[in-house]
Every structure is written in structure tokens, then in C-alpha cells.
Amino acid sequence: MAGGNHTVQNKFILLGFSTLPRLQHLLFFVFLLSYLITVTGNLLIILLTLADPGLHTPMYFFLRNLSFLEVCYISVTIPKMLANLLLEDKTISFIGCAVQTYFSFFLCGSECILLVTMAYDRYVAICRPLHYPVVMNRKVATGLAAGSWLTGLLLSFSHTSVVFTLPFCRSHDINHFFCDIPPLLKLACGDTSRNEMAVFMVALFFVSFPFVLILMSYISIISTILKMPSGAGRRKSFSTCSSHLMVVMLFYGSGAIMYLKPNSSSSPDTDKFLSLSYTVLTPMLNPIIYSLRNKEVKGAFWRLMGRKRFVES
């Protein structure tokens, strides 16, 4: 006991989907398949954009960063969830929970900023094409990508440290499939209104502000595309931008519903299924969207397959 009435927690229990006992094995296979598709698809994007010289551009450099980020992000949450679906022991240590919270928040925040960077890249390429080689050179692209990772790193450290210095006394059962900040705050003792406000403000910074910047970029992009005299040019520009816009809408939409809504507006089970959209669904759909809707990526894949067949023969 700490202070006579606060229990010092050294572990938590991730309840996950324990309310659906008959579906545990089905959920395991569904999430395992999703994980394998996500890792394979994103690693394939990384391989193609590295192997094909035609894809050594800032656009595909940012896409490579996004794919690597998605592989890391899904690997932070899904393996533990898969283990909990099969095992009776659903505990996670205090340190393990803090590490999972830190990396999930870090990677999610970095993705928010990286999506803004990708929108800026498309804005310069379409609206300022003559300035693109100067404005978006290799040094600038590297700096923007590094800035995305660094922003998520710093904000996640400060946010996670504030949450995990709180005393947890109400329970050690986390009604979620990973250590997320909102369900953790429900277990903390005393007044957590400041912490909840801090979560809201950080979410506002990571979700609303970047989304507004992306929206402004795409208003200018669409306006420029509609003025293009060539139909083929319009179709190509729409194709490259629509893929990014689909990912943005899916990722930011689910994030906004989860972190910017009032605490009492949904049940914990609803929150868990909302979280699946940006922890499982979005990382899985990213490589599908960017490959199936992108002729350059599909061309690089078939060129790579052709080289392999040539070497084997």
C-alpha cells in the first residue's frame, strides 16, 4: 500500500475481447491474417521503392517511411493481442504497458505529421511543378521525414510520463486490447481532469490541426487539377492524390472519433472496435490502396518479377 489507501500496481490485465469467449479463436485467425497481410504488403512497398530507380523520388521516399511506420505500429499492439486471445494469462507488466503506450502514441503521432508532409509534397508537385526539384530535394525530404518522427517521439515521451506517474488504485483491469491512454486514465486515483484535458489538447494538435492543413492542401490541389488542359494529366494527378486522401480520411476519421469525443459518449466495447480501425484496418489497407491504385508501383513490381525470372533462367 502507498499512503495507506493507494495500491501500487506492478501489472495490468488486458481484458481485450474477453466478453466474446466463443469468438476467441476466430478473432485470433482474423487478426493474425490481417497482421501477416499488413507486414507483407508494407515490406513489399519498401522493397519496391528501394529496388526500382524510377521510384527514388520524394513521394515514394515518404511512402517508404509510412510503410515502415505501419509495420512498427501494428507490431506494437497486435502480437500481444494475439497472445491474449489464446492464453488464459492476459497480464502485462507495468513497464510493458508503459512501453506499449509510449510506442503506440509515438508511432501514431508520427504518422499524423507524416501524412501532412505527404500532402505538402503533392501540393508542391502539382501546384508548383517548376519549383518542385528545388523545394522538395533530397535534403528537404529527409528533414521533413525526420521531423515527423522526432515530433512523435518528443510528445509521446512527455505524455506517457505524465500518465504513468499517476497512482492506479481503482482496478488493474484495462478494458481494451492494448495499453491506450483513455482507458488507463479511468483506472487512476484522484482528479484526472487535467490529464484528460492534456490528452484532448494533444489529440487536437495531432488530429485536427494536421487535418486542416491537409484539407487546405487538397483544396488547392483539386483546383489546380481541374484547370489542367490534358485529360490524361488530370487522371494521373487524381490517381496519385486520391490514394493518399483515402488513407487520410480513414486514419484521421477514426482517430478523431476516438480521441476528440466526450468520455461518456460511447461504451468501452465501442471504443475497442473504433481503435481497430486505426490499429489494424488502416495499416492493412495502406499498401493495398497505394499499390492497386498506382501504376508506377505495379510497374515496379512486374519489372522486379521480370528480373527475377531472367536471373533464374
Side-chain angles (χ1 to χ4, degrees):
M1 305 291 288
N5 57 3
H6 292 171
T7 304
V8 178
Q9 297 288 1
N10 58 8
K11 66 179 180 179
F12 294 100
I13 296 177
L14 291 169
L15 298 180
F17 300 98
S18 56
T19 55
L20 305 170
R22 296 182 179 180
L23 298 179
Q24 297 294 293
H25 289 88
L26 176 61
L27 289 173
F28 173 83
F29 286 112
V30 169
F31 292 135
L32 177 61
L33 181 61
S34 300
Y35 180 74
L36 294 176
I37 291 173
T38 301
V39 172
T40 303
N42 281 290
L43 289 179
L44 182 60
I45 293 287
I46 294 172
L47 174 63
L48 290 175
T49 56
L50 284 173
D52 195 296
L55 301 184
H56 291 179
T57 64
M59 173 182 170
Y60 293 104
F61 170 73
F62 293 131
L63 179 57
R64 187 160 61 246
N65 272 266
L66 179 65
S67 294
F68 179 69
L69 192 152
E70 296 287 28
V71 171
C72 295
Y73 186 42
I74 199 170
S75 298
V76 169
T77 56
I78 301 304
K80 180 61 178 175
M81 180 176 70
L82 291 174
N84 288 347
L85 286 169
L86 291 183
L87 303 176
E88 291 294 329
D89 183 12
K90 303 181 188 301
T91 60
I92 183 170
S93 68
F94 183 88
I95 297 298
C97 189
V99 169
Q100 191 181 60
T101 301
Y102 173 77
F103 279 102
S104 61
F105 201 89
F106 156 48
L107 295 167
C108 185
S110 298
E111 181 166 349
C112 288
I113 307 301
L114 186 61
L115 289 173
V116 177
T117 301
M118 295 174 74
Y120 175 67
D121 172 72
R122 290 299 84 206
Y123 166 78
V124 178
I126 294 173
C127 301
R128 300 287 186 271
L130 297 178
H131 299 92
Y132 185 74
V134 177
V135 174
M136 194 58 67
N137 55 48
R138 180 178 295 182
K139 184 177 180 180
V140 172
T142 303
L144 289 172
S148 302
W149 289 88
L150 186 61
T151 302
L153 187 74
L154 295 177
L155 285 177
S156 179
F157 177 78
S158 60
H159 217 52
T160 305
S161 61
V162 168
V163 171
F164 280 88
T165 53
L166 292 170
F168 295 97
C169 61
R170 293 175 184 170
S171 172
H172 61 288
D173 295 343
I174 301 175
N175 195 2
H176 213 294
F177 58 86
F178 74 103
C179 290
D180 201 9
I181 289 178
L184 279 167
L185 288 177
K186 294 179 180 178
L187 306 182
C189 305
D191 183 16
T192 59
S193 58
R194 291 185 178 180
N195 301 89
E196 291 171 0
M197 180 57 66
V199 171
F200 178 82
M201 295 304 296
V202 171
L204 196 66
F205 173 80
F206 271 127
V207 178
S208 299
F209 183 61
F211 182 75
V212 169
L213 292 178
I214 293 173
L215 186 62
M216 292 171 61
S217 297
Y218 272 97
I219 290 174
S220 299
I221 288 170
I222 293 172
S223 176
T224 302
I225 291 174
L226 293 175
K227 295 176 183 177
M228 290 180 177
S230 169
R234 287 196 298 269
R235 285 192 295 271
K236 182 179 180 181
S237 299
F238 270 124
S239 177
T240 57
C241 294
S242 60
S243 299
H244 180 250
L245 199 55
M246 288 171 64
V247 172
V248 166
M249 297 303 293
L250 183 62
F251 182 77
Y252 280 103
S254 57
I257 294 172
M258 182 65 190
Y259 287 98
L260 298 180
K261 63 176 177 55
N263 289 333
S264 58
S265 64
S266 62
S267 67
D269 289 335
T270 303
D271 289 343
K272 279 185 279 190
F273 284 101
L274 281 173
S275 298
L276 287 175
S277 62
Y278 61 86
T279 56
V280 178
L281 186 61
T282 304
M284 183 178 66
L285 290 180
N286 276 359
I288 298 174
I289 291 172
Y290 279 110
S291 59
L292 294 181
R293 295 179 58 84
N294 193 305
K295 291 182 180 179
E296 292 178 335
V297 173
K298 288 189 287 187
F301 174 76
W302 290 117
R303 284 193 294 273
L304 181 63
M305 292 298 100
R307 284 200 297 267
K308 283 188 175 181
R309 284 196 294 267
F310 177 78
V311 171
E312 289 171 358
S313 62

